[in-house]
Amino acid sequence: MTKPARNPTEPLRTRHVFLDTEVYRRAGFNISNTSFALLAKEIEAGRIVLHVSDITLAEVQRQLKGAVLEYAAEAKRLARDFNRIAQISGRKNTTVNEVDGSDAADAAWSGFLDGLLKRFRAHSILALDVPARIVFERYFAAQPPFDDHGSKEFPDAFVIEGLARYCKTSEILMYVVSRDAALRRAAGNHSALIPLQTIEEVLAAATAASSADLEAIADDVLAAPDFDHQFTEAIEADLDFVDFVYYGTLTEGAVRGAELEEIVSVDDYYVAAFDETKIGLIVQANVILNARVRYIDEEELRDKDDDVIPTASETWSRTHARLKLYISIDLSTLRFKETELLTRDVIVE
């Protein structure tokens, strides 16, 4: 495995950070995953202050509850199908209970909000107080986030104006984290806002000021004799948690799992955490996966009454993917202590 390049990172320019709705959604609204856990440590240490807007909270609430209701409906369908099979087997203890989607959605939102306010100590900014005239002037002038044809990104526009006004009043700079290019362009129009794409960039900046020679330490870790083997095992251990989306030509195709065939390259990495005993790296790898795809066979089978019987079949699809993995390495043994596959969505064609 060739040595990846370390992404150049400047030290934190400000301790104030805002995360767009898209960041929470990309994490599956799981603010206990590795990236958020590392962010919480930086907040606990006082190096980072997290900000959230009222509009962002409203968007998260709507999207989170919608996702839970969708999952609950699917769980309800599966529970009923499973219970029918359990009745055939005669084993009543194997049946499963149906999920109350509305109750689960309310509980998920309550848990998310409680964690955001207590664990992450999020500061709320009232974007809804921004005068509408300011936003509409940007809209009619086709300024970001309205610079794409037909764009109507009003929630984002109010959020950015709210953040900029807050920063001006407080005389601070603030990172605005989002993969939404239009939102980042809008943030870039304000001198007090610094657009970034990922939490990992914030974490890397938080460790960049360390007096340790992180480049040399990371070199030793990546060159360790057992690194490749441990890295492969770490990816394989978490592949079951990836959401595979099938976009191929097979009828009703759905991915039922995947296996790692090859790590083509390890492209780059961030130093996300560091102390005297361990170092945390966020590494990006270019891999080839073999995905198991179930589909409806287009060859029609007919019974004696000439009825069409759909036939489920399986095949394997070889697909390229870029995976991002967090690894925490014990500096005394160079063994992986903790790993998490941060990539949660992979497209299979």
Side-chain angles (χ1 to χ4, degrees):
M1 187 182 299
T2 59
K3 177 183 178 295
R6 180 184 176 192
N7 276 308
T9 305
E10 65 174 4
L12 285 172
R13 293 171 58 187
T14 174
R15 60 198 292 262
H16 299 278
V17 177
F18 167 81
L19 304 179
D20 181 29
T21 306
E22 175 271 337
V23 178
Y24 299 107
R25 182 177 63 249
R26 187 157 27 93
F29 304 104
N30 178 17
I31 54 177
S32 294
N33 73 6
T34 296
S35 295
F36 277 95
L38 292 170
L39 188 68
K41 289 182 179 179
E42 298 296 337
I43 292 171
E44 180 68 26
R47 286 187 287 270
I48 287 177
V49 176
L50 182 64
H51 297 269
V52 65
S53 79
D54 49 358
I55 290 177
T56 305
L57 288 178
E59 288 182 324
V60 169
Q61 181 182 25
R62 176 177 60 83
Q63 294 180 19
L64 174 56
K65 285 192 171 185
V68 174
L69 289 172
E70 181 180 342
Y71 298 150
E74 178 67 11
K76 187 174 183 178
R77 183 187 66 78
L78 292 174
R80 288 178 176 174
D81 290 345
F82 185 85
N83 289 340
R84 292 191 190 100
I85 298 300
Q87 289 174 357
I88 297 172
S89 69
R91 298 178 181 178
K92 295 182 180 180
N93 291 335
T94 61
T95 59
V96 295
N97 296 324
E98 294 184 357
V99 178
D100 185 333
S102 180
D103 182 67
D106 289 340
W109 167 241
S110 178
F112 177 91
L113 189 60
D114 187 66
L116 197 67
L117 297 179
K118 291 183 178 178
R119 187 182 180 197
F120 293 89
R121 307 172 189 175
H123 294 240
S124 182
I125 295 174
L126 301 179
L128 285 170
D129 286 350
V130 172
R133 176 181 293 275
I134 297 175
V135 173
F136 275 96
E137 285 176 351
R138 288 191 176 276
Y139 172 71
F140 291 122
Q143 296 176 346
F146 302 113
D147 48 336
D148 286 339
H149 180 70
S151 176
K152 296 180 175 62
E153 300 291 339
F154 282 100
D156 287 349
F158 275 95
V159 167
I160 291 299
E161 292 298 330
L163 298 180
R165 286 160 64 90
Y166 178 87
C167 289
K168 182 178 180 180
T169 301
S170 305
E171 298 183 343
I172 60 172
L173 299 177
M174 184 180 295
Y175 289 111
V176 176
V177 182
S178 177
R179 284 194 183 275
D180 186 328
L183 185 140
R184 293 200 310 275
R185 290 196 300 273
N189 279 347
H190 297 275
S191 59
L193 303 181
I194 308 167
L196 294 177
Q197 291 195 48
T198 65
I199 291 180
E200 289 76 34
E201 291 176 88
V202 177
L203 296 172
T207 61
S210 171
S211 59
D213 188 349
L214 298 181
E215 187 80 32
I217 293 172
D219 283 350
D220 290 341
V221 167
L222 295 166
D226 201 33
F227 180 88
D228 290 6
H229 177 67
Q230 293 185 87
F231 193 73
T232 298
E233 285 189 332
I235 292 176
E236 291 175 338
D238 272 8
L239 273 181
D240 286 345
F241 298 103
V242 173
D243 291 326
F244 292 96
V245 181
Y246 182 72
Y247 280 137
T249 59
L250 296 174
T251 303
E252 296 186 26
V255 179
R256 298 301 184 186
E259 298 175 357
L260 176 65
E261 178 179 307
E262 179 186 356
I263 299 177
V264 178
S265 62
V266 177
D267 299 332
D268 52 36
Y269 70 92
Y270 291 104
V271 178
F274 177 76
D275 60 31
E276 294 179 354
T277 62
K278 60 185 180 297
I279 188 171
L281 303 180
I282 295 173
V283 184
Q284 183 164 280
N286 180 23
V287 306
I288 296 175
L289 302 175
N290 262 332
R292 182 165 57 91
V293 181
R294 182 172 295 177
Y295 65 101
I296 300 299
D297 196 335
E298 294 184 350
E299 294 293 329
E300 296 178 348
L301 298 180
R302 299 178 181 275
D303 65 11
K304 61 183 180 180
D305 297 321
D306 206 33
D307 292 328
V308 176
I309 302 175
T311 304
S313 299
E314 286 189 353
T315 188
W316 291 86
S317 177
R318 197 165 179 264
T319 186
H320 287 264
R322 295 178 69 84
L323 303 180
K324 188 178 293 184
L325 185 78
Y326 173 79
I327 51 178
S328 176
I329 303 106
D330 186 312
L331 293 177
S332 63
T333 63
L334 299 184
R335 300 292 301 174
F336 289 13
K337 296 188 63 176
E338 175 191 358
T339 68
E340 181 180 351
L341 188 60
L342 301 177
T343 301
R344 281 293 176 258
D345 300 297
V346 172
I347 294 175
V348 176
E349 297 179 329

XYZ file of all heavy atoms in Angstrom, residues 12 15 40-49 121:
105
model
N -6.709 26.069 13.854
C -8.008 26.719 13.986
C -7.877 28.242 13.918
O -7.061 28.832 14.636
C -8.662 26.341 15.313
C -9.254 24.935 15.434
C -9.683 24.686 16.875
C -10.430 24.750 14.491
N -12.692 29.221 17.240
C -13.217 28.055 17.940
C -14.715 27.870 17.694
O -15.314 26.905 18.165
C -12.936 28.155 19.439
C -13.550 29.369 20.108
C -12.881 29.635 21.455
N -13.188 28.606 22.426
C -14.140 28.714 23.365
N -14.880 29.819 23.434
N -14.357 27.745 24.205
N -17.109 16.273 20.324
C -17.527 16.482 21.717
C -16.315 16.638 22.633
O -16.338 17.434 23.583
C -18.403 15.319 22.178
N -15.251 15.878 22.358
C -14.036 15.992 23.175
C -13.397 17.363 23.019
O -12.897 17.944 23.992
C -13.047 14.890 22.790
C -13.470 13.495 23.223
C -12.417 12.467 22.852
C -12.839 11.069 23.306
N -11.837 10.045 22.941
N -13.398 17.876 21.786
C -12.832 19.213 21.563
C -13.681 20.275 22.256
O -13.157 21.265 22.775
C -12.754 19.499 20.057
C -11.841 18.553 19.275
C -10.394 18.676 19.700
O -10.003 19.734 20.243
O -9.646 17.704 19.503
N -14.997 20.069 22.269
C -15.884 21.006 22.957
C -15.645 20.937 24.455
O -15.570 21.966 25.145
C -17.361 20.676 22.617
C -17.640 20.979 21.139
C -18.319 21.467 23.512
C -18.986 20.482 20.653
N -15.495 19.714 24.983
C -15.229 19.523 26.408
C -13.915 20.190 26.814
O -13.788 20.761 27.904
C -15.174 18.026 26.727
C -14.900 17.694 28.185
C -16.043 18.068 29.097
O -17.201 18.127 28.634
O -15.769 18.315 30.293
N -12.930 20.138 25.905
C -11.628 20.742 26.188
C -11.623 22.256 25.992
O -10.636 22.922 26.308
C -10.561 20.113 25.293
N -12.728 22.792 25.457
C -12.827 24.235 25.278
C -12.233 24.750 23.988
O -12.182 25.964 23.774
N -11.785 23.834 23.117
C -11.171 24.292 21.865
C -12.203 24.638 20.802
O -11.900 25.347 19.844
C -10.214 23.217 21.336
C -8.910 23.121 22.112
C -7.935 22.172 21.446
N -8.354 20.793 21.626
C -7.984 20.034 22.641
N -7.189 20.540 23.580
N -8.377 18.783 22.737
N -13.428 24.106 20.955
C -14.472 24.340 19.956
C -15.772 24.687 20.664
O -16.098 24.124 21.714
C -14.668 23.100 19.056
C -13.478 22.956 18.094
C -15.968 23.182 18.261
C -13.544 21.729 17.226
N -16.527 25.625 20.055
C -17.873 25.964 20.508
C -18.816 25.684 19.342
O -18.604 26.175 18.231
C -17.979 27.446 20.924
C -19.414 27.790 21.291
C -17.045 27.743 22.086
N -23.360 21.191 24.095
C -23.510 22.552 24.619
C -23.769 23.564 23.496
O -23.190 24.670 23.465
C -22.254 22.955 25.397
C -21.836 21.970 26.470
C -20.502 22.334 27.058
N -20.001 21.269 27.928
C -18.804 21.291 28.503
N -17.993 22.322 28.299
N -18.410 20.306 29.275
